[in-house]
């Protein structure tokens, strides 16, 4: 223990790492402190966000709707960073709402605490660790206004915003990695600019009128109130503690704002007066001209409105039954379709809901369709109303009433189909939810045919589209920025829709929302279904030959009896899916999550399940001949009675798997499937080489002998 006479030295007061930090240049220490500050904020948000994402992925707890605050925040962040759109009204784990709320609150608390420290002491925790201090022109800690000007406005608003704008207008958009790199480069360049300033001030310091000092020169860190030039502290010279004075750079005097302009005006009164007079004269003349132009435009507008009003009234007079023959009424209806009057559309829709003459119903439908996209909302409302009336007459009403309502309903369907076809790609925000556009078994049948039409972004939630044809149509668009994978992408919403018996062959359904949709016996051959969200949907008996479902979300989805030959399910999620009796020869399931799925009786000859998760799945009586199961997770999967001849199991995890009654070797006379492809890497005898069957279940003696003879591992192997 040091004696009372032992002088106090900086070494006794400084932490052990202070000497190491002291050797670094002040510019390096400033950069390190800034990186640690940003890491604090990012980490305080990233850690709880990761926990929340994990909770949803593992389905911890009963799913609940995403919190409105979180959904709104996610929406704003997606708009700012052009992130892909997520499915609306999605459900998450209750813990996810808790952790993600923490991901919003924690950065605010961490940032607020650092701002508080900066305003009180001039140092955040990282700045204190690296010996950096921020002060104002009087040597005091900066005020809250200066801190916000320095950090929020100058550093992140001006320079961070410049990086964002440069990213948006260049070819780097929408790559987020380039945005991060560009932001870091601009902030680094702005910080290096302090090297060319005599006082070592960066641009954000000059904007906020702050100064950065080297706090390691003062072990006590206590600047005297109102003094920046001098600071007295103890140092050690030849073993003795002495008092020393440290001189810091003094801030340069700042000129008074607006002083030079006022001085020029005092020196040049005549010129100043002339400029003021010219400004006033220009303002008066501009106001006069603008007023006259506005008055003339209003007069012209009133004149045109009066003409349209007279035309509308004259056409309305011709619609009354007493006005004349049906031909005159038909001409008036068609003329209303060309009239630029909002009242005309409402009148036509009302007429369609009340008209009894078949010829006039068709004419009204044509007139409404000619109004274009503006008629979609009214047509949808009338369609829903007519369908409700028709359903109410299912067990009552006369045949004539049903036929009349069915004809009106068909007219709305034809009008909607005409608008969608004629205005392809122009309705990214149209809402056709709960609209009946399916084929109806009535005296006036209707089949929706929209082959090759751009339907990107349209909402068909809970709509009826049975037997509709969308062959080669587009349900996914790049949006206004022309780039895929960004926030403004146009993604159609088919959630809850009845699409049974529909034709989607060759259609583009990338990223489309099809949550709990009915797709039974639909034709999706060679369709692009990458990253589609179809959780809980029904693809039973559907045709998906050669379809691309890479990265699709298909949990709890039913593919019972579907034709999946040569389909691509790489990296898709089919946990708990029903795939009984499917035909999936030559299909791709590499790295897919197919755990807890039911494959009973499925034909999977030559299918590729390499690196896939097939744990707890049921492959009872399935045909897996020639399948690629290399490095797949087969824990507790059931292969009872299945055919594993020529199947490649090398590197697979078969712990707990049930192999009762499995066919390990095909008969010599048995013909190979067209999808069975023998491995070129090794001979058939090595397909189970090195596979550990020690914990596998229900292996009889013949199976064990067969596996041991071919290089597998088992306790009963000699």
């Amino acid at each position: 223990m040091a004696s009372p006479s032992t002088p106090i030295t900086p070494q006794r007061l400084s932490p052990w790492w202070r000497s190491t930090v002291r050797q670094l240049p002040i510019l390096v220490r400033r950069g390190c402190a800034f990186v640690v500050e940003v890491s604090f904020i990012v980490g305080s948000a990233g850690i709880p966000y990761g926990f929340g994402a994990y909770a949803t992925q593992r389905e911890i707890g009963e799913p609940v709707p995403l919190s409105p605050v979180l959904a709104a925040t996610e929406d704003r962040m997606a708009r700012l960073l052009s992130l892909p759109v997520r499915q609306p009204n999605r459900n998450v784990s209750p813990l996810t709402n808790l952790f993600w709320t923490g991901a919003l609150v924690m950065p605010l608390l961490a940032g607020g605490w650092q701002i508080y420290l900066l305003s009180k002491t001039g140092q955040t925790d990282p700045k204190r660790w690296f010996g950096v201090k921020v002060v104002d022109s009087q040597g005091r800690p900066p005020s809250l206004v200066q801190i916000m000007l320095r950090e929020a406005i100058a550093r992140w608003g001006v320079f961070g915003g410049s990086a964002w704008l440069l990213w948006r207008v260049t070819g780097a958009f929408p790559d987020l990695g380039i945005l991060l790199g560009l932001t870091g480069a601009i902030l680094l360049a702005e910080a290096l600019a302090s090297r060319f300033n005599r006082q070592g001030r960066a641009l954000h310091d000059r904007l906020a009128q702050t100064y950065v000092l080297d706090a390691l020169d003062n072990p006590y860190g206590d600047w005297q109130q109102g003094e920046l030039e001098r600071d007295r502290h103890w140092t050690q010279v030849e073993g003795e503690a002495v008092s020393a004075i440290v001189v810091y750079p003094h801030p340069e005097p700042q000129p008074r704002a607006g002083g030079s302009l006022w001085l020029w005006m005092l020196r040049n009164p005549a010129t100043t007066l002339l400029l003021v007079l010219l400004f006033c004269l220009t303002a008066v003349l501009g106001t006069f001209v603008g007023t006259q132009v506005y008055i003339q435009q209003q007069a012209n507008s009133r004149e045109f409105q009066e003409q349209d009003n007279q035309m509308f009234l004259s056409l309305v007079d011709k619609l009354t039954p007493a006005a004349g023959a049906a031909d005159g009424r038909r001409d008036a209806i068609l003329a209303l379709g060309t009239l630029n009057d909002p009242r005309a559309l409402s009148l036509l829709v009302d007429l369609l809901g009340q008209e009894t003459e078949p010829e006039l119903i068709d004419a009204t439908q044509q007139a409404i369709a000619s109004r274009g996209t503006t008629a979609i909302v009214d047509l949808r409302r009338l369609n829903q109303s007519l369908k409700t009336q028709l359903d109410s007459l299912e067990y009552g009403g006369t045949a004539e009433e049903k036929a009349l309502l069915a004809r009106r309903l068909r007219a709305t369907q034809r009008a909607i189909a005409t608008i969608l076809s004629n205005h392809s790609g122009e309705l990214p925000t149209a809402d056709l939810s709960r609209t009946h556009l399916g084929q109806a078994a009535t005296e006036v049948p209707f089949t929706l045919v929209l082959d090759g039409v751009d339907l990107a972004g349209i909402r068909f939630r809970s709509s009826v589209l049975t037997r509709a044809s969308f062959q080669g149509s587009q349900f996914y668009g790049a949006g206004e920025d022309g780039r895929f994978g960004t926030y403004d992408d146009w993604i159609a919403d088919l959630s809850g829709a009845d699409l049974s018996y529909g034709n989607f062959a060759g259609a583009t359904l990338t990223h489309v929302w099809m949550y709990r949709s009915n797709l039974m016996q639909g034709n999706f051959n060679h369709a692009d279904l990458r990253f589609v969200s179809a959780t809980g949907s029904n693809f039973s008996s559907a045709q998906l030959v050669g379809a691309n479902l890479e990265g699709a979300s298909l949990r709890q989805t039913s593919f019972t009896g579907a034709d999946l030959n040569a389909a691509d399910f790489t990296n898709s999620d089919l946990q708990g899916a029903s795939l009984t009796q499917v035909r999936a020869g030559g299909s791709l399931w590499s790295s897919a999550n197919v755990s807890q799925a039911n494959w009973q009786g499925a034909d999977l000859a030559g299918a590729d399940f390499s690196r896939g998760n097939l744990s707890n799945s049921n492959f009872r009586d399935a045909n897996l001949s020639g399948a690629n199961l290399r490095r797949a997770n087969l824990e507790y999967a059931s292969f009872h009675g299945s055919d594993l001849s020529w199947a490649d199991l090398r590197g697979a995890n078969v712990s707990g798997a049930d192999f009762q009654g499995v066919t390990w070797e095909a008969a010599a006379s048995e013909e190979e499937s067209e999808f069975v492809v023998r491995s070129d890497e090794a001979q058939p005898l090595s397909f189970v080489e090195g596979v550990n069957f020690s914990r596998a279940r229900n292996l009889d003696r013949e199976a064990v002998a067969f596996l041991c003879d071919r290089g597998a591992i088992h306790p009963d192997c000699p």
Side-chain angles (χ1 to χ4, degrees):
M1 181 174 179
S3 62
S5 60
T6 303
I8 300 176
T9 64
Q11 287 81 353
R12 294 183 179 274
L13 295 175
S14 301
W16 62 269
W17 46 264
R18 187 63 66 90
S19 59
T20 303
V21 174
R22 188 188 298 274
Q23 299 175 2
L24 299 176
I26 181 64
L27 186 61
V28 174
R29 282 186 273 140
R30 289 179 61 177
C32 292
F34 175 70
V35 170
V36 175
E37 289 169 348
V38 174
S39 300
F40 273 173
I41 304 298
V42 174
S44 62
I47 293 175
Y49 181 86
F51 284 132
Y54 178 83
T56 293
Q57 182 180 6
R58 295 296 180 179
E59 298 182 345
I60 301 176
E62 189 69 21
V64 296
L66 184 65
S67 168
V69 175
L70 296 176
T73 303
E74 187 178 62
D75 181 77
R76 299 297 184 273
M77 293 299 297
R79 288 179 181 272
L80 179 64
L81 301 177
S82 295
L83 301 175
V85 183
R86 293 183 180 271
Q87 184 171 351
N89 303 324
R90 60 194 180 101
N91 294 333
V92 297
S93 168
L95 289 177
T96 300
N97 276 332
L98 177 63
F99 282 118
W100 284 3
T101 301
L104 289 181
V105 175
M106 291 302 295
L108 297 178
L109 295 178
W113 174 248
Q114 298 303 320
I115 290 175
Y116 171 78
L117 292 178
L118 194 61
S119 63
K120 289 297 183 181
T121 65
Q123 293 179 299
T124 61
D125 287 330
K127 282 182 170 59
R128 178 169 53 82
W129 298 338
F130 287 94
V132 177
K133 187 167 186 177
V134 180
V135 296
D136 60 11
S137 59
Q138 302 299 319
R140 296 186 297 263
S143 64
L144 182 60
V145 174
Q146 286 180 301
I147 293 173
M148 299 305 296
L149 182 62
R150 183 181 191 269
E151 302 294 338
I153 298 178
R155 176 175 279 170
W156 291 108
V158 176
F159 301 107
S162 299
W164 183 85
L165 289 175
L166 186 61
W167 172 67
R168 287 301 300 259
V169 301
T170 61
F173 174 81
D175 193 317
L176 290 179
I178 297 180
L179 173 61
L180 293 176
L182 190 61
T183 303
I186 290 181
L187 292 178
L188 178 61
E190 188 267 338
L192 292 176
S194 62
R195 298 273 298 179
F196 304 97
N197 182 264
R198 183 174 62 87
Q199 296 174 322
R201 301 171 71 195
L203 297 177
H204 61 272
D205 284 311
R206 282 186 263 180
L207 290 175
Q209 298 297 309
T210 57
Y211 301 83
V212 178
L213 305 180
D214 186 351
L216 292 183
D217 285 340
N218 179 8
Y220 298 106
D222 53 345
W223 275 264
Q224 298 296 325
Q225 183 73 15
E227 294 186 6
L228 181 64
E229 285 188 337
R230 305 193 312 165
D231 182 33
R232 183 177 301 275
H233 68 85
W234 292 95
T235 186
Q236 189 167 348
V237 180
E238 296 183 357
E240 296 182 1
V242 298
S243 177
I245 298 295
V246 177
V247 179
Y248 297 96
H250 195 281
E252 297 177 349
Q254 301 296 323
R256 293 172 56 186
S260 57
L261 177 61
W262 179 251
L263 184 61
W264 181 88
M265 294 173 63
L266 292 177
R267 293 178 178 177
N268 302 274
T271 305
T272 301
L273 181 60
L274 179 61
L275 292 175
V276 172
L277 291 176
L278 289 176
F279 175 78
C280 295
L281 181 61
T282 302
V284 172
L285 291 176
T287 303
F288 176 76
V289 173
T291 302
Q292 294 300 317
V293 171
Y294 175 77
I295 293 174
Q296 186 62 39
Q297 289 179 346
Q298 292 298 312
N300 294 338
S301 177
R302 286 192 296 270
E303 182 179 354
F304 292 147
Q305 289 179 359
E306 182 64 25
Q307 294 176 359
D308 291 341
N309 186 57
Q310 293 178 359
M311 178 66 71
F312 174 76
L313 294 177
S314 63
L315 292 175
V316 170
D317 291 338
K318 296 180 180 180
L319 294 178
T320 59
D327 290 341
R329 294 185 63 198
R330 182 178 183 276
D331 294 338
I333 290 173
L334 294 176
L336 281 173
T338 62
L339 190 62
N340 186 21
D341 192 319
R343 295 174 298 176
L345 177 59
S346 300
L347 178 60
L348 288 171
V349 173
D350 291 339
L351 284 175
L352 183 58
Q354 301 174 14
E355 189 59 62
T356 58
E357 296 293 333
E359 182 181 358
L360 296 182
I361 290 177
D362 293 339
T364 307
Q365 171 258 313
Q366 296 174 18
I368 295 175
S370 65
R371 298 303 300 265
T373 58
T374 57
I376 284 291
V377 176
D378 294 308
L379 280 172
R380 173 200 170 205
R381 187 181 302 112
L382 179 59
N383 178 278
Q384 295 172 346
S385 175
L386 292 173
K387 184 61 172 64
T388 301
Q389 296 178 45
L390 189 60
D391 291 340
S392 67
L393 296 179
E394 182 176 358
Y395 302 104
T398 64
E400 292 77 8
E401 291 176 330
K402 294 180 181 179
L404 181 59
L405 286 175
R407 185 176 294 277
R408 293 171 180 168
L409 179 62
R410 186 189 67 167
T412 63
Q413 294 172 328
R414 292 177 60 185
I416 293 174
T418 301
I419 294 173
L420 293 178
S421 179
N422 293 341
H423 298 274
S424 175
E426 301 177 13
L427 296 161
T429 59
D431 188 358
L432 290 172
S433 300
R434 298 180 300 280
T435 306
H436 190 281
L437 297 171
Q439 190 179 71
T442 62
E443 296 180 3
V444 281
F446 168 79
T447 301
L448 180 65
V449 179
L450 293 172
D451 294 341
V453 177
D454 188 350
L455 303 171
I458 298 180
R459 290 168 56 91
F460 289 102
R461 293 179 66 92
S462 303
S463 295
V464 178
L465 300 165
T466 53
R467 299 187 184 278
S469 180
F470 299 101
Q471 187 171 356
S473 295
Q474 303 281 331
F475 289 84
Y476 174 60
E480 296 181 357
D481 59 11
R483 298 178 183 273
F484 291 96
T486 58
Y487 178 81
D488 66 346
D489 287 354
W490 294 332
I491 301 176
D493 189 353
L494 302 173
S495 298
D498 186 354
L499 305 166
S500 55
Y501 302 95
N503 183 7
F504 292 86
T508 301
L509 294 152
T510 310
H511 291 284
V512 168
W513 300 319
M514 304 168 70
Y515 182 75
R516 296 191 179 278
S517 299
N518 182 9
L519 307 154
M520 289 181 59
Q521 300 192 32
N523 181 1
F524 294 88
N525 291 339
H526 304 286
D528 187 353
L529 292 152
R530 289 175 299 163
F531 308 106
V532 68
S533 297
T535 300
S537 294
N538 187 359
F539 284 89
S540 297
S541 302
Q543 301 290 319
L544 292 103
V545 177
N548 188 351
L549 293 100
E550 180 182 354
S553 178
L554 302 164
R555 290 195 172 195
Q556 309 298 325
T557 300
S558 175
F559 288 92
T560 302
D563 189 348
L564 309 178
N565 286 323
D568 187 354
F569 288 85
T570 303
N571 292 315
S572 58
D573 186 0
L574 292 97
Q575 182 177 348
S578 176
L579 297 125
T580 57
Q581 304 296 326
V582 298
R583 301 178 299 281
S587 54
L588 303 177
W589 308 82
S590 180
S591 302
N593 177 19
V594 206
S595 61
Q596 304 175 27
N598 188 2
W599 300 84
Q600 186 171 353
D603 183 3
L604 302 168
D608 183 3
F609 289 97
S610 57
R611 299 181 301 278
N613 180 12
L614 289 81
S615 60
N616 297 286
S617 292
N618 179 17
F619 289 91
R620 188 183 184 90
D621 300 324
N623 178 16
L624 287 158
S625 59
N628 183 1
L629 297 166
R630 297 194 64 176
R631 295 187 293 278
N633 181 10
L634 306 176
E635 288 184 293
Y636 299 99
S638 175
F639 294 92
H640 187 95
S642 62
D643 185 356
L644 289 174
S645 58
W646 306 108
D648 191 347
L649 293 166
R650 287 173 292 177
N653 181 6
V654 297
S655 177
D658 183 359
F659 292 98
Q660 183 176 358
V662 166
T663 300
W664 294 99
E665 186 176 21
S669 60
E670 184 178 345
E671 295 183 2
E672 298 180 11
S673 169
E674 58 177 315
F675 295 107
V676 175
V677 180
R678 299 186 182 182
S679 174
D680 295 331
E681 301 179 12
Q683 296 299 320
L685 298 181
S686 66
F687 282 167
V688 294
E689 183 178 2
V691 181
N692 190 349
F693 287 87
S694 300
R695 300 181 62 186
R697 296 179 295 153
N698 297 327
L699 285 171
D700 54 29
R701 293 183 179 180
E702 294 182 1
V704 172
F706 176 86
L707 295 173
C708 293
D709 186 50
R710 284 153 179 78
I713 301 173
H714 192 273
D716 295 339
C717 289

